[in-house]
Amino acid sequence: MTTHRTQRAKSTPRTPNPWLRRGAAAVALAAVLGGVAAPVALAATPAATKAATTAAATGARGTLISVTPLAELTRDQVGAYVGALGIGSDTVRHGVSAYRLTYATITPQGRPTTATGLLVLPRGGPYRLDLVSDTHGTTVFRGDAPSGAGDFGRITPYLHAAAGRAVAAPDYLGLGGGSGSHPYMDEKSAVSAGLDMLRAARTASDRLGRPLTGDVYATGFSQGGQVAMALGRELSSVRTGFRLRGLAPMAGPYDIAGAELPGLTDGRIDPLTGVFYLSYYLTAQNKLHRLYADPAEVFKAPYASTLEGLFDGSHTEEEVVAGLPATLDGLLTPAWAEQVRHPSGAFAAAIAANDDACDWKPAAPVRLYAAAGDRDVPIANARSCAADLARHGVRAPVVDQGAGTDHRGTAVRSAPQVVRWFDALSR
């Protein structure tokens, strides 16, 4: 989840994505980068899609299908890139090279498909590289995924790569250049796509002359924080050839039932943010868990006839927000307002399937980054995660960025701290 709080202007819809800043920082960033980080087209031709799908069907999960160069930045350009968002450059030690990977993976139903992701390598540093898995937050427009984003979508991948590690940032299913729709907040498919991205990154790094050590450090923001925790569990339980060295998720929604849903109705979550998240969640989860047969069962008019189309991957976040009501009362039918307060049936089952990311025992150290001032993903999520880990005998400190820090600010403050912590763990 990646929205941030702003005042909603009557004439201009708020964008939920914290990296998409349209003001002076974006102008400064464009001046620094010029054309070096321009996104490439994501729309695949039918022939290319068919070829990739065939490759996925005939290859093992994680098979690398293609590598596309995207950008090269000098050390100074990376420093300016992160500086445009207010992040210091003290951990920026190298320039970076960025690539889009297309690789074989599976759908939520286990069928072969393709996905894309961003691989970033430092220009310098050791010959063999440790790997950072960096999983991104809520994205509705497929072009805003890491391998397509040309502005702030690559902030954390560039930050970690500039510190001297390879970075694999999956787009997830249905985003970037992948086929189909995005199964938003489906933990299982996000983990499978993330793990297969690591495998593809290992192959690509070898081919690019920067082989990997096998050590993995996992981080992620918002939705990606939950994915990072669940991916860490997968890395710890499946023989992958990777070794988990540290987990540092930021502002993840680890406790949907106990923190996120209550936050929608008790004032902890900004109302428009809540409408955005819940609309996306329900329309995506319905394709997996059959929550409703007709959108009118859940959404009031006129949204029942428009919401599912808004979340098809082709609309920007600004366009989606413009098509939403300002409050849950304006969105939900009375029956589904009650479901949000007291989940039952298929809705409760869908929540339970995605609410266990912290219910395991990591062997690697864990730090949970959050903020008391976050009104998108309340800090209660991190505290719940820490409590789950404690029941397994694992101490995971919650790094609170303070009551004056919002959701976006949590990422800005936490990301360089995570880089420094990974530095310390790798010594």
Side-chain angles (χ1 to χ4, degrees):
M1 299 187 174
T2 61
T3 66
H4 68 281
R5 296 175 59 210
T6 63
Q7 293 296 318
R8 189 186 190 193
K10 292 182 178 180
S11 59
T12 304
R14 187 188 75 183
T15 173
N17 193 323
W19 305 118
L20 300 181
R21 312 298 281 173
R22 306 303 182 187
V27 174
L29 181 61
V32 167
L33 299 182
V36 298
V40 297
L42 289 176
T45 65
T49 299
K50 182 178 180 180
T53 302
T54 300
T58 57
R61 284 181 50 186
T63 297
L64 180 65
I65 296 171
S66 66
V67 179
T68 304
L70 295 178
E72 289 196 0
L73 278 68
T74 66
R75 176 181 173 181
D76 288 345
Q77 286 175 318
V78 176
Y81 194 103
V82 299
L85 198 64
I87 296 174
S89 61
D90 60 291
T91 63
V92 175
R93 296 184 277 271
H94 308 283
V96 301
S97 298
Y99 307 86
R100 175 188 295 136
L101 306 187
T102 302
Y103 62 96
T105 188
I106 55 174
T107 68
Q109 295 76 31
R111 293 190 290 270
T113 190
T114 61
T116 56
L118 179 71
L119 172 67
V120 189
L121 301 176
R123 297 172 64 187
Y127 170 64
R128 294 176 62 83
L129 299 169
D130 292 348
L131 180 63
V132 172
S133 172
D134 186 10
T135 43
H136 69 80
T138 301
T139 302
V140 293
F141 179 56
R142 62 171 53 245
D144 286 338
S147 79
D151 47 11
F152 292 108
R154 300 179 191 163
I155 285 285
T156 51
Y158 283 0
L159 191 65
H160 284 281
R165 300 177 187 88
V167 181
D171 293 334
Y172 306 146
L173 298 182
L175 295 172
S179 59
S181 61
H182 175 48
Y184 177 56
M185 290 295 291
D186 178 50
E187 179 185 299
K188 181 179 177 181
S189 64
V191 168
S192 63
L195 179 58
D196 291 341
M197 175 65 187
L198 298 184
R199 292 167 170 149
R202 178 167 52 196
T203 302
S205 295
D206 280 343
R207 293 182 185 176
L208 293 165
R210 303 301 299 276
L212 304 179
T213 65
D215 287 347
V216 175
Y217 301 81
T219 187
F221 173 55
S222 204
Q223 178 192 0
Q226 182 219 43
V227 176
M229 283 300 305
L231 179 59
R233 178 179 56 201
E234 189 77 358
L235 288 169
S236 300
S237 61
V238 176
R239 292 183 179 179
T240 62
F242 295 109
R243 298 176 295 273
L244 182 66
R245 293 291 307 278
L247 268 168
M250 303 178 291
Y254 318 104
D255 189 358
I256 299 171
E260 283 297 305
L261 286 182
L264 293 174
T265 57
D266 66 12
R268 282 181 290 169
I269 294 178
D270 175 80
L272 183 57
T273 296
V275 168
F276 177 87
Y277 285 154
L278 188 62
S279 299
Y280 199 5
Y281 183 76
L282 292 176
T283 54
Q285 290 292 314
N286 186 56
K287 298 174 183 177
L288 303 173
H289 297 278
R290 192 63 170 173
L291 304 182
Y292 55 85
D294 185 336
E297 298 171 23
V298 182
F299 308 113
K300 291 180 178 178
Y303 308 107
S305 62
T306 60
L307 270 187
E308 291 187 339
L310 281 176
F311 292 102
D312 64 359
S314 68
H315 293 81
T316 66
E317 292 183 348
E318 293 90 341
E319 291 170 339
V320 172
V321 171
L324 298 176
T327 65
L328 289 181
D329 286 343
L331 175 72
L332 298 174
T333 62
W336 267 84
E338 179 62 20
Q339 273 281 10
V340 169
R341 288 189 292 269
H342 304 288
S344 62
F347 185 43
I351 293 168
N354 298 291
D355 237 5
D356 64 347
C358 301
D359 190 13
W360 61 291
K361 185 175 183 177
V366 182
R367 284 188 181 180
L368 304 168
Y369 293 79
D374 190 339
R375 290 195 62 204
D376 290 40
V377 180
I379 196 171
N381 282 278
R383 291 171 176 155
S384 176
C385 183
D388 282 346
L389 293 168
R391 283 191 286 272
H392 291 278
V394 175
R395 180 182 178 275
V398 175
V399 181
D400 182 0
Q401 304 295 2
T405 303
D406 62 8
H407 194 53
R408 170 185 173 271
T410 305
V412 171
R413 293 177 65 100
S414 301
Q417 295 174 17
V418 172
V419 173
R420 295 185 196 102
W421 188 52
F422 287 171
D423 283 346
L425 291 177
S426 66
R427 296 190 184 111

